[in-house]
Amino acid sequence: MNENVVTIIGICLLIGAMAKSSQVGLHVWLPMAMEGLLKRAFLKLHYMRRHPVLYFGPLKRYFLLGKIQNEGQFAGNFVVKNSTNIVETTLGSSETTREVFILKDNFFLFWFVGFVEGDGSFIINKDGYLEFRITQSSIDAQVLFYIKKALGFGVVRIQDKSKNTHCFRVRDKGGLIKLINIFNGNIFLTNRKEQFKLWLYAFNKKYKMNILYLDNRFKPSLNDSWLSGFTDAEGCFTCSICQNKSKTANLVRLRYILSQKGNSADMNYLANIVDGKKHYVKSYDGYNVVVNTTKLLPIIKYFNFYSLKTKKNIVYFNWIKIHKLVINKEHNNAKGIALITKYKNNLNRLDRLN
């Protein structure tokens, strides 16, 4: 065939694909078909670069210079790796396309889910406006920037200057879809499941979508990072010092505590996996799961592997120093108790900052 004819045919095929998916200048007849015009245009180029007409025509040098959007397949679903931590997969036909956002890093994934179950908010206002938000003390704002960097989307800003707080928030449709893909089927706490379910229903209603709610009955364990994230949000490490009645030795009491309002059955489960006890706390009508000094070794082993991401990691660092001194019986001499008191004061100071 004549090369010019091949070129014209190739251009016509490209225009046909662009018209079908409502791209560039041909978008006016189907404005809501695609979520991202430019991205879809590149997607069509990626599919067409292996079409025999384009492959053997004079345009091949332009269509075959590497893979468009870094990585893909010649047909079917399109997969793009846009960072070391994220995979986005486009599923479905051109008129029903939506992106499935997958975090490859399970350490961050379950830490993030646990952290959000403690400190996150799925917000629906009276007008059906949707938002996802995490609020932290400005002193701990670095964890919000860590989340933004790991996810690759969202905004971190000052929320309240008088209360000294920052927030991470997501409002756009694309970001909300990615969050739905993260949380759908991965939430543990009963009340959070109900909040997310209502939020997903509101999202489907607002954007006329039909994303199904998944209840996979996820259960955290000491073999994943969910507890680390939840501890960053709702946990604490405490120390108390007192003399026994004989005044011949000091009694140092260390505790690891998780707090939660409601969710009694879920707190029972957490008490079992950390070998602690659940206590009802009347002051806030909630529950504490407490692990005392003699049962802390599995907890310490866990947090040494699944590290905390907020400034509670500094609290934990001082706390395990106290634990080591107690294990070595250093709390029964003046030098040891002076060190323990120093680390205990560090705990209290950091807790006040938080």
Side-chain angles (χ1 to χ4, degrees):
M1 294 178 67
N2 183 283
E3 282 194 353
N4 291 331
V5 175
V6 172
T7 300
I8 293 170
I9 292 173
I11 292 173
C12 289
L13 286 170
L14 177 60
I15 292 173
M18 292 165 64
K20 180 179 183 295
S21 295
S22 181
Q23 303 301 314
V24 195
L26 305 172
H27 64 282
V28 292
W29 65 277
L30 192 58
M32 298 302 292
M34 291 288 111
E35 293 175 18
L37 298 178
L38 185 59
K39 185 172 181 178
R40 296 296 168 225
F42 278 114
L43 180 56
K44 294 302 179 185
L45 291 174
H46 170 78
Y47 287 156
M48 293 186 64
R49 67 189 185 87
R50 284 291 179 176
H51 193 284
V53 172
L54 295 179
Y55 188 86
F56 294 106
L59 294 177
K60 69 179 181 180
R61 67 174 62 93
Y62 301 107
F63 281 90
L64 300 177
L65 289 176
K67 295 183 178 181
I68 294 174
Q69 293 218 19
N70 300 332
E71 186 170 324
Q73 303 166 348
F74 296 145
N77 295 337
F78 179 75
V79 178
V80 51
K81 295 179 182 177
N82 55 13
S83 78
T84 58
N85 190 38
I86 298 167
V87 175
E88 293 183 41
T89 306
T90 303
L91 300 175
S93 66
S94 59
E95 276 73 32
T96 60
T97 302
R98 74 178 183 89
E99 291 175 351
V100 176
F101 180 83
I102 303 170
L103 285 170
K104 296 186 295 178
D105 183 353
N106 281 335
F107 185 103
F108 174 78
L109 168 64
F110 289 109
W111 175 89
F112 180 57
V113 173
F115 187 63
V116 168
E117 291 201 55
D119 275 353
S121 301
F122 299 100
I123 300 170
I124 311 168
N125 73 3
K126 294 180 181 179
D127 300 322
Y129 182 82
L130 297 169
E131 181 179 344
F132 171 80
R133 185 184 299 174
I134 306 172
T135 301
Q136 290 287 289
S137 166
S138 296
I139 294 171
D140 227 342
Q142 92 287 338
V143 74
L144 301 179
F145 288 99
Y146 165 72
I147 290 169
K148 178 185 175 182
K149 182 177 180 181
L151 292 176
F153 61 90
V155 175
V156 177
R157 57 172 295 174
I158 295 174
Q159 177 170 288
D160 191 322
K161 288 185 178 180
S162 62
K163 294 181 179 179
N164 199 29
T165 59
H166 273 65
C167 71
F168 169 82
R169 72 182 189 191
V170 179
R171 292 178 173 177
D172 63 289
K173 178 184 176 183
L176 296 178
I177 288 176
K178 291 173 182 179
L179 290 172
I180 288 169
N181 289 324
I182 291 172
F183 294 116
N184 204 3
N186 288 327
I187 296 177
F188 167 63
L189 295 177
T190 302
N191 65 348
R192 286 297 189 183
K193 285 183 179 180
E194 293 302 315
Q195 291 171 9
F196 175 76
K197 190 174 182 178
L198 292 172
W199 191 73
L200 177 58
Y201 174 80
F203 176 88
N204 283 332
K205 183 177 180 181
K206 178 176 176 62
Y207 292 106
K208 296 178 173 58
M209 298 185 71
N210 189 29
I211 302 175
L212 297 177
Y213 170 74
L214 303 176
D215 186 0
N216 290 346
R217 304 183 185 279
F218 164 73
K219 297 289 187 182
S221 72
L222 295 183
N223 295 316
D224 61 63
S225 54
W226 184 94
L227 185 63
S228 176
F230 190 67
T231 301
D232 266 322
E234 300 288 356
C236 64
F237 304 90
T238 68
C239 174
S240 60
I241 306 172
C242 62
Q243 288 187 330
N244 63 15
K245 293 181 180 179
S246 65
K247 297 183 179 181
T248 58
N250 296 291
L251 177 63
V252 178
R253 186 183 186 188
L254 293 170
R255 297 194 302 171
Y256 164 66
I257 304 173
L258 293 173
S259 303
Q260 183 68 190
K261 187 173 183 178
N263 295 306
S264 176
D266 298 330
M267 295 300 278
N268 278 333
Y269 175 84
L270 293 178
N272 287 332
I273 67 170
V274 300
D275 197 16
K277 291 185 178 181
K278 186 187 80 172
H279 304 281
Y280 175 73
V281 183
K282 187 177 181 180
S283 60
Y284 67 93
D285 189 26
Y287 299 93
N288 282 354
V289 169
V290 180
V291 184
N292 287 310
T293 310
T294 57
K295 297 183 177 181
L296 288 174
L297 285 177
I299 294 295
I300 291 172
K301 182 179 179 181
Y302 173 85
F303 285 112
N304 285 345
F305 186 80
Y306 294 104
S307 60
L308 299 160
K309 302 301 180 185
T310 66
K311 284 187 168 55
K312 283 182 184 175
N313 195 38
I314 303 173
V315 175
Y316 173 73
F317 180 72
N318 284 273
W319 186 79
I320 59 171
K321 284 185 175 181
I322 298 174
H323 183 267
K324 185 176 180 180
L325 288 168
V326 171
I327 291 297
N328 292 332
K329 309 294 185 182
E330 296 292 330
H331 58 295
N332 292 325
N333 61 69
K335 184 178 178 180
I337 204 66
L339 278 175
I340 289 173
T341 302
K342 174 185 174 182
Y343 296 139
K344 176 181 179 292
N345 291 337
N346 287 342
L347 298 184
N348 295 335
R349 179 173 57 85
L350 290 164
D351 282 338
R352 285 194 298 270
L353 289 176
N354 289 329

